[in-house]
Amino acid sequence: DTGVSQDPRHKITKRGQNVTFRCDPISEHNRLYWYRQTLGQGPEFLTYFQNEAQLEKSRLLSDRFSAERPKGSFSTLEIQRTEQGDSAMYLCASSLSTGHFSNQPQHFGDGTRLSIL
Amino acid sequence: QQQVKQSPQSLIVQKGGIPIINCAYENTAFDYFPWYQQFPGKGPALLIAIRPDVSEKKEGRFTISFNKSAKQFSLHIMDSQPGDSATYFCAAWRGSARQLTFGSGTQLTVLP
């Protein structure tokens, strides 16, 4: 079990630049989730995929954000024209989709910390 | 809109003490209530979870107490150790929407 892997771990960029993060879920997990976590707060749901289909998007996911999971394996989250308020930890989680949550807990990666200068 | 309210924000106990973290929710559509532990620089890790039709669940030193009528639940850590020092998040799962809503977290410090 290699766990959920996220890359890069840290990203520093200037305001207005585009950034892309990658998430590799646990191999047999068909659900993949993105969350955003700001300092001193709990993670906030952004979006989730079942296989390659994006099934739910939060109102937090503005038009500048786009997520893809082209082959139902890894996923990317892109932020265009970054703003100061985008500074946060972006977390990815994956799970199975069989049965209740108790049988399909979400396993989190260690996140990508984004800092906007 | 904070759907899961968590308190206290921070907590300091001596080794061997029993820290208690409390959470409250409003949305009756939530159908599972997990607790996560997060260390600095790491992602949250599932600690223990409870269904709303159960009033208490124990796993090792961790116990969840659940009060469905009051829409409140709490985490107790028995015989706390310095290694338990971390941030703890309660959460609520809404299966119909496949969404997990987190509380704002409690930073626990266990003094040696």
Side-chain angles (χ1 to χ4, degrees):
Chain A
D1 180 2
T2 57
V4 178
S5 176
Q6 292 189 246
D7 183 71
R9 292 298 314 280
H10 304 275
K11 179 71 176 178
I12 301 173
T13 192
K14 293 182 179 179
R15 184 168 56 90
Q17 297 294 304
N18 298 344
V19 293
T20 300
F21 313 137
R22 176 178 171 125
C23 171
D24 287 90
I26 294 171
S27 58
E28 65 269 25
H29 286 183
N30 54 355
R31 283 203 186 132
L32 187 148
Y33 302 80
W34 286 99
Y35 292 83
R36 181 177 72 183
Q37 185 177 23
T38 53
L39 204 59
Q41 297 298 315
E44 295 173 291
F45 170 81
L46 293 177
T47 189
Y48 98 92
F49 292 83
Q50 178 142 335
N51 300 312
E52 66 276 7
Q54 188 173 16
L55 297 185
E56 192 79 25
K57 291 199 290 186
S58 162
R59 281 172 286 183
L60 293 174
L61 212 65
S62 75
D63 292 345
R64 296 185 298 105
F65 288 69
S66 62
E68 294 183 344
R69 194 181 183 199
K71 296 182 180 179
S73 56
F74 73 92
S75 175
T76 58
L77 178 67
E78 181 182 18
I79 309 174
Q80 296 183 327
R81 305 181 303 281
T82 52
E83 300 173 355
Q84 291 284 352
D86 296 332
S87 294
M89 174 81 85
Y90 290 85
L91 291 163
C92 176
S94 70
S95 75
L96 295 168
S97 61
T98 51
H100 190 266
F101 182 94
S102 56
N103 298 320
Q104 48 170 290
Q106 293 182 25
H107 297 261
F108 283 82
D110 290 335
T112 294
R113 180 165 295 284
L114 174 64
S115 298
I116 307 297
L117 301 178
Chain B
Q1 180 184 358
Q2 189 179 8
Q3 296 193 52
V4 180
K5 295 184 179 181
Q6 183 171 347
S7 64
Q9 189 173 12
S10 63
L11 191 52
I12 301 174
V13 299
Q14 295 284 343
K15 178 183 174 181
I18 306 175
I20 300 172
I21 304 170
N22 300 299
C23 286
Y25 65 97
E26 288 295 325
N27 191 343
T28 54
F30 292 136
D31 55 12
Y32 202 62
F33 299 87
W35 285 86
Y36 285 83
Q37 179 189 57
Q38 186 175 31
F39 292 103
K42 296 292 188 180
L46 180 64
L47 198 58
I48 185 173
I50 196 168
R51 301 175 77 120
D53 55 347
V54 175
S55 61
E56 186 178 275
K57 184 174 181 180
K58 291 183 181 180
E59 285 186 4
R61 296 183 294 109
F62 300 93
T63 299
I64 301 177
S65 297
F66 193 89
N67 186 331
K68 187 175 181 178
S69 60
K71 291 189 274 188
Q72 295 175 347
F73 57 112
S74 60
L75 177 70
H76 299 60
I77 305 175
M78 310 302 287
D79 186 29
S80 58
Q81 301 296 313
D84 296 329
S85 297
T87 301
Y88 291 81
F89 294 95
C90 61
W93 169 256
R94 189 156 55 102
S96 59
R98 305 288 188 267
Q99 285 194 25
L100 198 56
T101 301
F102 284 82
S104 55
T106 296
Q107 188 169 354
L108 173 66
T109 302
V110 181
L111 301 174

